[in-house]
Amino acid sequence: MSRLESVARAFLRYLYEDNRFRPEVADFFDSPAVEATALQPSWAELTNVLQTLREHELIATSGVGQQGAPARAGLTGSGLICAGRHGGDIGSWSRAQAVAVLDEPPEPLVPTQPGPPAVLDLTGVTRVAKVVLLALPTVHARYGDTVEIELTARRLCDAARQDNPDRRRVRLLAYRLRGELATGSVANTLGVVLLDGLDEALTESGLT
């Protein structure tokens, strides 16, 4: 494992173990996560790592801190999964993502001749629901009370994967999930990073 990979894993663990929503980046240098790696990264190394983590959409940042690095950082939904299930190992997380992509249903064929109405494309809605289910064990361990949103996300996945999905039921469940993300127990965690994606998926599928 390279030095920068070690710094990346340590930084993801730092965010995962910190109870604040977006802790200060500078506090990382004095965290137990750095001590566990037996290395003291420089600001230049950390800045490179932050850029890589943002490119992988594992963290979101805000503000400008020391030496041009972001002032604060927090885990995205993918970051929660990477840190919680893969110990911050980006390679392991990436391989798991590749397998998940293979599980996605194929894109509906565009008919060249007049035929039945186009298949309702619920790929985006299904993807958001799956991310919710993957991240919930981590969120539940830290915040609890995720039973209702888990049930809604599972029902949405099941409804969207039907051969002939019920448009009305899928829309109802999708908006119920949106409500949970916006106001439920995960509003300040998953809700922050997934609401925009769900809104975009609803628009793309024509369910708005």
Side-chain angles (χ1 to χ4, degrees):
M1 181 185 303
S2 71
R3 179 179 173 84
L4 291 184
E5 287 174 335
S6 297
V7 175
R9 293 185 70 169
F11 190 77
L12 288 173
R13 286 199 300 271
Y14 159 64
L15 295 182
Y16 181 73
E17 293 165 2
D18 197 293
N19 290 324
R20 294 171 292 175
F21 171 54
R22 277 193 187 175
E24 294 186 11
V25 170
D27 290 348
F28 167 65
F29 291 101
D30 298 319
S31 70
V34 168
E35 296 176 3
T37 62
L39 57 83
Q40 185 65 31
S42 66
W43 271 104
E45 288 175 325
L46 182 57
T47 300
N48 287 337
V49 164
L50 293 177
Q51 179 63 31
T52 298
L53 295 178
R54 280 187 299 191
E55 289 173 356
H56 283 84
E57 298 183 350
L58 295 174
I59 64 169
T61 59
S62 58
V64 179
Q66 298 183 42
Q67 301 191 30
R72 295 179 177 275
L75 294 172
T76 63
S78 296
L80 278 169
I81 297 170
C82 181
R85 293 197 171 185
H86 300 276
D89 185 337
I90 299 176
S92 173
W93 169 79
S94 296
R95 289 189 292 273
Q97 292 297 107
V99 173
V101 169
L102 292 177
D103 290 338
E104 291 291 339
E107 293 292 332
L109 297 175
V110 178
T112 55
Q113 300 292 332
V119 176
L120 186 62
D121 185 1
L122 299 173
T123 304
V125 173
T126 305
R127 183 178 296 113
V128 173
K130 286 174 65 176
V131 171
V132 170
L133 291 172
L134 285 170
L136 273 182
T138 299
V139 175
H140 176 74
R142 300 183 74 187
Y143 302 98
D145 191 21
T146 60
V147 175
E148 191 64 32
I149 189 171
E150 178 179 1
L151 182 60
T152 300
R154 288 193 185 283
R155 287 176 174 173
L156 178 56
C157 276
D158 291 341
R161 288 173 171 174
Q162 298 296 315
D163 291 337
N164 295 299
D166 184 330
R167 183 188 187 93
R168 181 180 177 184
R169 175 169 172 75
V170 172
R171 185 178 187 277
L172 175 65
L173 290 169
Y175 273 91
R176 185 177 299 169
L177 179 62
R178 191 189 188 286
E180 288 286 342
L181 290 173
T183 63
S185 60
V186 299
N188 291 325
T189 50
L190 289 182
V192 173
V193 297
L194 291 183
L195 265 178
D196 288 345
L198 180 56
D199 287 342
E200 183 178 340
L202 286 169
T203 300
E204 290 176 350
S205 63
L207 294 175
T208 53

